[in-house]
Each structure stands twice: as structure tokens, then as C-alpha cells.
Amino acid sequence: QVQLVESGGGVVQPGTSLRLSCAASGFRFSSYGIHWVRQAPGKGLEWVAVIWYDGSKVKYVDSVRGRFTISRDNSKNTAYLQMNTLRAEDTAVYFCARVGYASSVDGMDVWGQGTTVSVSS
Amino acid sequence: QSALTQPPSASGSPGQSVAISCTGTSSDVGGYNYVSWYQQYPDKAPKLMIYEVNKRPSGVPDRFSGSKSDNTASLTVSGLQAEDEAHYYCSSYAGSDTVVFGGGTKLTVL
């Protein structure tokens, strides 16, 4: 079945790095863009980044630009989020989601179960 | 990249209809017909309920409908059922290939 599975979360200290992975199955991964969306404890959803189906374009929310890097390896059906210089405010559950419709990057039709990142000293 | 504005809570009795609003600006909601709505149960991943303002993905009941007027989009849930009790989030295309979410609305079925 169509599925996204995140991994790589954990507890880290401020200023350190972490790389999240998003493994896809059940669909042609190389044909779809991928988003990362996060949700801080008890808070709402926040869009973080998007990568085009072929990796040709990436976009970020202002608060992570320059610290986070989104990438993908279509040969491994996997997208990544490299997070550097982590801050306490990056603590959240991180979801990856598929861009569902060619008309716009909005409209995320498949979501993973999320992986938890906790930044604390 | 300011969050869209949603009411923190909404409620209705079984069988009733309830509408949840999502207010943005001319740079996001008002500028494009790309508004989505997501349903999220506690500790679960969000689920797409509406995309492109008023389109329903396959499998979403037709009790869920979307609309938009100027800078405000709305999700209407008709014939409320107990299983509709969840958080609902709107999102919008915000230009330059970016997306912005609303703060979320907790829907309670009385």
C-alpha cells in the first residue's frame, strides 16, 4: 500500500545535528514532491520544507532556512531532512507528506506516522 | 509566512452542521484557489479532507465540503457524527512554492 515511514528522530543537545529519513513505498516516488511538516508538543502544524519530484527545487520556512536541508535519493525511494544547529524550538514531531496534486504544492495526500525530535540540554 | 487564523474551537450536536473558518490574506488564501483541510486525531498523522478549496479526495464522505470567499476559506461538516470529533487544520499555497497552515480548530461533537 502507499506508505511513508519516517525515522531518525531522537533526543539531542542544542547546537547539534540530526538527519531524518522518509522512506516511501507503494507508489512511484520519483514522480512526487515531498514535504516536511512539524508539530511542536500541544501545538499546530507548521510547514517546514518541500522538495520537487526530481530534486530540482527546494523551499523552506524562514525559521529553518540556512540550518535545515531537504534532499532526496530517488534510487532509494527516500527523502531526507538534515537539521543543523538545532534549537529548543525545533522540538516537534516531524512528518513527511506527499505532494498530492500537480496543480500546486498545497494538498498533501499521504502522510507518514511522524518521528519525534527533542532538543534539550 | 504568518499562520492562517482559525477559531480555537467549534462544536455541534450530532446531525447538525458546523462551519470552521480559515482567514488569511491576499498573499495566500485570497490569492489562490489552493486551500486544503486536514483532520487529525490525537497522536495520529493528519488526513487530507479537502484540497483546492472544495475538492474531496477519494474516500472522504460528502458530509465534508469546502468553500472560499475573499481571504477566508471555510470547512463545513454536515450531519455531524461522533467520529468527526478531531482537530482540523487549513493550509494554503502562499506563493513562491511555499505553504502556510492555520493554527487549528478542535471540533467537539456534543
Side-chain angles (χ1 to χ4, degrees), chain A residues 35 37 39 43-47 50 52 57 59-63 65 95 101-109 111-114, chain B residues 1 34-36 38 40 43-48 50-52 56-58 89 91-93 96-104:
Chain A
H35 291 278
V37 175
Q39 187 168 34
K43 303 296 184 181
L45 301 174
E46 180 184 29
W47 175 76
V50 64
W52 253 236
K57 190 185 295 186
K59 294 287 183 176
Y60 301 94
V61 69
D62 287 346
S63 59
R65 189 176 297 114
F95 298 98
Y101 308 94
S103 54
S104 167
V105 293
D106 189 45
M108 305 171 198
D109 69 336
W111 292 68
Q113 85 288 351
Chain B
Q1 293 177 328
Y34 296 124
V35 176
S36 298
Y38 301 88
Q40 187 181 34
D43 298 321
K44 298 295 185 182
K47 174 187 176 183
L48 180 66
I50 296 287
Y51 68 101
E52 293 179 12
R56 274 180 287 106
S58 175
Y89 294 90
S91 72
S92 174
Y93 179 70
S96 301
D97 301 314
T98 63
V99 174
V100 62
F101 279 95

Side-chain angles (χ1 to χ4, degrees), chain B residues 11-26:
Chain B
S11 63
S13 299
Q16 290 186 330
S17 294
V18 63
I20 299 171
S21 63
C22 169
T23 301
T25 69
S26 58

Side-chain angles (χ1 to χ4, degrees), chain B residues 73-95:
Chain B
S74 297
L75 172 72
T76 299
V77 185
S78 305
L80 267 176
Q81 299 182 4
E83 68 206 50
D84 299 332
E85 184 162 300
H87 277 89
Y88 291 85
Y89 294 90
C90 62
S91 72
S92 174
Y93 179 70

Side-chain angles (χ1 to χ4, degrees), chain A residues 101, chain B residues 49-51 54-66:
Chain A
Y101 308 94
Chain B
M49 304 301 284
I50 296 287
Y51 68 101
N54 56 16
K55 298 179 180 178
R56 274 180 287 106
S58 175
V60 172
D62 59 7
R63 303 186 294 103
F64 292 85
S65 62

Side-chain angles (χ1 to χ4, degrees), chain A residues 44-117:
Chain A
L45 301 174
E46 180 184 29
W47 175 76
V48 174
V50 64
I51 186 166
W52 253 236
Y53 67 99
D54 59 355
S56 61
K57 190 185 295 186
V58 298
K59 294 287 183 176
Y60 301 94
V61 69
D62 287 346
S63 59
V64 308
R65 189 176 297 114
R67 299 189 299 124
F68 289 13
T69 301
I70 188 172
S71 62
R72 65 190 296 155
D73 185 339
N74 285 345
S75 69
K76 296 182 178 179
N77 291 338
T78 302
Y80 304 97
L81 186 67
Q82 176 68 44
M83 305 186 294
N84 297 332
T85 319
L86 281 161
R87 306 168 179 166
E89 54 265 36
D90 296 318
T91 294
V93 174
Y94 285 74
F95 298 98
C96 61
R98 188 177 79 171
V99 176
Y101 308 94
S103 54
S104 167
V105 293
D106 189 45
M108 305 171 198
D109 69 336
V110 178
W111 292 68
Q113 85 288 351
T115 187
T116 301
V117 173

